[in-house]
Structures are given as structure tokens and as C-alpha cells.
């Protein structure tokens, strides 16, 4: 190690040793600044998605947390199951763009630096926030409603479709003052 650019050369020229160490430290500090800037910009990222009918809008951060959820007046007529589905679908759609937004920040701030680290991070984000339009695992079919047991040993008979059904309770009339603030 006493050849050209080896340890021996550095020991003979302490000024060169100090210059090289200063260059290394400056490069390391510059890299740390680039990473801090990329992290700060990533933390400011917001992704918004709106349902196709415009009823639900969800905004989330780069970590996947929901930062805003808004409804249009259309949701007042939605059954709760449909509203839940619209919220989750819209949230997943917003989250599915996280990996690409983070990739853009990393490219802008870091260039081609640390490809392996970038690939691992983006693969993790894509796994956590997949494209919601990709088919999910099939869900098992819903089980039919249970049939009540038959009285004293006879066979159970499901209620006839023509049998009168209990009517739902009357709906209360909406209060126009409450109506402005109540999304339901």
C-alpha cells in the first residue's frame, strides 16, 4: 500500500490527507442534505382522488394516512354500504399513486444515487399501496340467511315471499337547518 495513491503517499503528505478527508466529509454532508431535502419534500406530498360520481374525495400523505375526507351532497342518498365502499375505493386510488410521486421526488433530489435503496423503498410502497383496479382475491360467497328452527320437531319452513313483511319505521322529516351540516 505504499504505491501511487496508497496509504504511504498519504502519510508522506499530510496536507493531501487532510484535503482528501475534507472532500470526503463535504461529499457526505452534501449527500445528507440531498436526502433530508427529499424526505422533507416527500412528507409534504398530498395525493387526492375523487370518486367517479364526485360524491367522495380523499386526500392522503406519502405515508398513506388520510389527511382529508370530503363528501358532496350526493352522499345523502347513499346506502351506508355504498358510502363505505366509495370511501375505501377512493382512498385506495389516492394511495396507489404514492410510489410514483415518491419516485419522482427521489429522481429529482437524488438522481441515480443509491439505486438499490430506491428500488427497495419503491417496491415496499407499491406492495403497501397497490393499484386498486387490480383484481383482489375472490371473496367467498355470502351464506344464506339462517332458517329459524321448526317448532317441536317439524321441518323448518322459510317464510313465504308473499307473507306480509314488517314495514320499516317512518323516516323523520329532515330539519332544513340540520340538513346543511349533516352529510347523511
Amino acid at each position: 500500500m505504499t504505491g501511487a495513491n496508497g496509504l504511504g503517499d498519504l502519510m508522506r503528505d499530510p496536507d493531501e490527507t487532510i484535503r482528501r478527508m475534507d472532500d470526503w466529509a463535504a461529499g457526505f454532508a452534501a449527500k445528507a442534505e440531498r436526502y433530508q431535502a427529499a424526505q422533507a419534500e416527500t412528507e409534504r406530498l398530498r395525493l387526492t382522488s375523487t370518486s367517479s360520481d364526485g360524491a367522495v374525495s380523499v386526500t392522503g400523505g406519502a405515508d398513506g394516512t388520510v389527511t382529508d375526507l370530503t363528501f358532496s351532497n350526493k352522499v345523502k342518498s347513499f346506502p351506508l354500504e355504498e358510502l363505505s365502499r366509495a370511501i375505501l375505493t377512493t382512498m385506495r386510488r389516492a394511495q396507489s399513486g404514492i410510489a410514483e410521486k415518491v419516485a419522482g421526488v427521489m429522481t429529482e433530489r437524488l438522481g441515480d444515487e443509491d439505486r438499490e435503496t430506491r428500488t427497495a423503498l419503491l417496491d415496499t410502497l407499491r406492495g403497501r399501496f397497490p393499484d386498486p383496479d387490480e383484481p383482489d382475491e375472490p371473496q367467498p360467497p355470502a351464506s344464506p340467511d339462517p332458517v329459524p328452527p321448526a317448532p317441536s320437531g317439524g321441518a323448518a319452513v322459510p317464510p313465504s315471499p308473499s307473507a306480509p313483511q314488517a314495514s320499516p319505521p317512518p323516516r323523520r322529516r329532515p330539519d332544513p337547518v340540520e340538513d346543511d351540516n349533516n352529510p347523511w
Side-chain angles (χ1 to χ4, degrees), residues 7 14 26 33 37 48 59 76-77 91 103 111 133 137 159 175 184:
L7 186 58
E33 284 179 21
T48 300
T59 300
K76 290 179 182 181
S77 63
M91 178 187 73
D133 297 327
E137 293 181 22
D175 180 351
W184 313 111

Side-chain angles (χ1 to χ4, degrees), residues 13-142:
D13 188 356
D15 291 335
E16 177 64 15
T17 302
I18 292 171
R19 187 189 65 72
R20 284 188 181 186
M21 288 177 69
D22 288 345
D23 288 349
W24 177 84
F28 191 73
K31 183 175 184 175
E33 284 179 21
R34 288 191 303 276
Y35 273 85
Q36 287 173 340
Q39 179 182 0
E41 190 170 337
T42 298
E43 288 173 357
R44 287 189 303 270
L45 283 177
R46 295 292 178 262
L47 296 96
T48 300
S49 181
T50 302
S51 60
S52 58
D53 59 4
V56 176
S57 183
V58 178
T59 300
D63 62 355
T65 58
V66 173
T67 59
D68 194 26
L69 174 64
T70 58
F71 303 109
S72 74
N73 284 329
K74 292 179 183 180
V75 300
K76 290 179 182 181
S77 63
F78 279 27
L80 293 179
E81 280 184 18
E82 187 178 335
L83 178 60
S84 296
R85 195 171 24 260
I87 292 169
L88 290 175
T89 299
T90 306
M91 178 187 73
R92 288 181 184 125
R93 198 169 293 130
Q95 291 172 333
S96 72
I98 290 172
E100 298 317 308
K101 289 281 193 178
V102 170
V105 169
M106 292 180 83
T107 298
E108 180 183 325
R109 295 289 181 175
L110 307 175
D112 287 334
E113 210 168 296
D114 295 334
R115 282 188 177 274
E116 289 177 11
T117 302
R118 179 181 314 182
T119 299
L121 172 68
L122 296 177
D123 286 349
T124 298
L125 289 173
R126 287 183 186 106
R128 283 182 61 203
F129 308 114
D131 184 351
D133 297 327
E134 291 178 1
D136 289 339
E137 293 181 22
Q139 298 296 321

